[in-house]
Amino acid sequence: MRIFPLIKDLRAFLDEQKAGGKRVGFVPTMGALHEGHLSLMRQAKAENDLLVVSIFVNPIQFNNPEDLKKYPRDVEGDKKLLESVGCDALFLPSEDEMYPEPVTKVYDFGDLANVMEGVFRPGHFNGVAVVVHKLFDIVQPDRAYFGEKDFQQLAIIKKMVQMENIPVEIIPCPIMRESDGLAMSSRNVRLTPEQRKNAPFIYQTLREAQRRRKHLCAKPLQQMVINLFDANKNFRLEYFEIVDDQNLQPIQNWNEHVGTVACVAAWMGEVRLIDNIRII
Ligand code: PAF
């Protein structure tokens, strides 16, 4: 695996590879890699000639400085995992390399960014869009792979690609779960053993919502889930929303023709976890 801290060196390498007709699959990450990331990488490796991964803990997408400080980092462990999935090139830039000048770009994603994460993490999606756009400019991948755990992020990135006319195919990949159902996330390592034991409640509750949808309308179902979280002292629920999978707006009634996803964000102590499940 080649490691590139500098944009110009990565570009030179990729220009040469692309001139030889190689198609590039790209997985952007913030490191602290886990099986969820590796599954995206295996798919990218299988569907393209070259696997490029970036590791960059993007400061401008953290609305909470404490979260940025405590975000898990393990570059040496990550490199070993990247070797194990056959990563061809790792882009590992510094903050100065990515942002030599202050970022001024402001995107308008309309209502897509005015719900859920957009409400509770102001500025987060602008930071994500800025960094992903920049990474796409640098790597110019044929395909880029994103996990569906960050369901709203995926919608925002698709929108950004459309708005900016970027010639990349965005490939959504299913959520990877631990054997007890907890969605894989870099933040899981910050849970105490006790919190980790209780964390699968999130997925269990999403499954319960999925089962109950035949018997309850969207609003009472939402209230049922809110009540379940309120009764569980291990969690502080931030939101539970049942949304249209295209525009991410909360739905009022079930409609077999509208894809519907239930999304949740909840705190366990100082760790914020998100998850989602398809309802229709
Ligand atoms: O999902 C993530 O890890 C990040 O938001 C991403 C897409 C790598 C941008 O920093």
Side-chain angles (χ1 to χ4, degrees), residues 3 8 15 32 43 46 90-91 99 121 124 134 182 246 250-251 263:
I3 301 177
K8 69 173 177 37
D15 285 351
Q43 186 174 341
L90 167 62
F91 180 45
Y99 300 126
R121 303 185 68 189
H124 168 64
K134 178 137 195 167
L182 177 64
Q246 297 303 304
I251 59 145
C263 302

Side-chain angles (χ1 to χ4, degrees), residues 113-254:
N114 292 338
V115 286
M116 303 191 288
E117 297 297 289
V119 174
F120 288 95
R121 303 185 68 189
H124 168 64
F125 286 129
N126 204 68
V128 169
V130 166
V131 79
V132 172
H133 192 178
K134 178 137 195 167
L135 289 166
F136 283 174
D137 269 350
I138 295 166
V139 177
Q140 300 187 3
D142 295 282
R143 299 191 183 93
Y145 296 75
F146 294 89
E148 285 180 328
K149 184 170 84 67
D150 295 290
F151 193 75
Q152 192 173 6
Q153 166 172 284
L154 188 55
I156 294 277
I157 289 170
K158 283 185 190 158
K159 179 85 182 167
M160 185 271 288
V161 162
Q162 185 195 32
M163 282 160 61
E164 303 284 352
N165 299 305
I166 304 173
V168 59
E169 191 183 345
I170 301 298
I171 314 281
C173 301
I175 300 176
M176 295 297 285
R177 298 187 179 279
E178 303 291 352
S179 56
D180 58 9
L182 177 64
M184 289 186 183
S185 163
S186 302
R187 289 186 169 85
N188 292 353
V189 298
R190 293 185 51 210
L191 296 171
T192 64
E194 189 61 17
Q195 287 169 336
R196 174 64 192 81
K197 211 173 77 208
N198 293 318
F201 173 82
I202 298 177
Y203 182 57
Q204 287 156 11
T205 308
L206 288 176
R207 292 275 294 155
E208 184 62 12
Q210 197 185 41
R211 280 192 286 272
R212 295 280 190 103
R213 92 119 184 128
K214 290 265 183 262
H215 311 289
L216 287 175
C217 292
K219 282 289 150 193
L221 184 59
Q222 180 189 28
Q223 195 55 53
M224 182 204 85
V225 170
I226 292 172
N227 294 345
L228 287 172
F229 272 96
D230 283 351
N232 187 329
K233 293 295 162 249
N234 296 309
F235 294 89
R236 186 165 60 77
L237 182 67
E238 210 159 62
Y239 64 78
F240 172 76
E241 296 286 357
I242 302 173
V243 300
D244 178 320
D245 68 358
Q246 297 303 304
N247 61 24
L248 302 195
Q249 299 310 295
I251 59 145
Q252 305 302 324
N253 297 302
W254 305 123

